[in-house]
Amino acid sequence: MKFTGVVCIAFVIVFVSSLAPTKAVLEEKVSCIPTELMTCLPALQTGGDHPTAECCGKLKEQVSCVCGYLYNPLYSQYFASPQAHKIFAACGVPYPTC
């Protein structure tokens, strides 16, 4: 009886351990490339009300990068602006809290 209990526990440990690499493979790593968001520049310059579908797509792809952009002096003026908040809202992307 003890042997089957040990075998069951060992099986569960091996099974759970084998799932961890699978989860890591499924997660995509996003490349934070701010120049890909240049498609949002016209919307940023015109008040942020009407971003293009391409702009929204790129914004959704890079939403995990926005905090880094906010802390970068080269990009913070664009991402912290009221127009940027409007672009996020128009694209249906929640503005991140960093």
Side-chain angles (χ1 to χ4, degrees), residues 11-25:
F11 177 77
V12 169
I13 291 172
V14 170
F15 181 74
V16 171
S17 298
S18 67
L19 292 178
T22 306
K23 184 179 177 186
V25 171

Side-chain angles (χ1 to χ4, degrees), residues 26-50:
L26 293 176
E27 294 177 4
E28 278 187 46
K29 176 139 173 96
V30 175
S31 298
C32 296
I33 305 171
T35 55
E36 288 185 356
L37 295 170
M38 291 295 288
T39 57
C40 297
L41 194 57
L44 192 67
Q45 292 171 336
T46 60
D49 293 326
H50 304 289

Side-chain angles (χ1 to χ4, degrees), residues 37-97:
L37 295 170
M38 291 295 288
T39 57
C40 297
L41 194 57
L44 192 67
Q45 292 171 336
T46 60
D49 293 326
H50 304 289
T52 63
E54 185 179 3
C55 167
C56 290
K58 290 295 181 182
L59 191 60
K60 289 175 184 175
E61 285 177 14
Q62 294 197 32
V63 71
S64 63
C65 304
V66 174
C67 287
Y69 299 151
L70 284 169
Y71 292 123
N72 185 328
L74 294 174
Y75 308 116
S76 63
Q77 63 182 344
Y78 302 108
F79 286 94
S81 71
Q83 293 88 349
H85 286 267
K86 288 182 180 179
I87 292 171
F88 274 85
C91 291
V93 178
Y95 193 81
T97 54

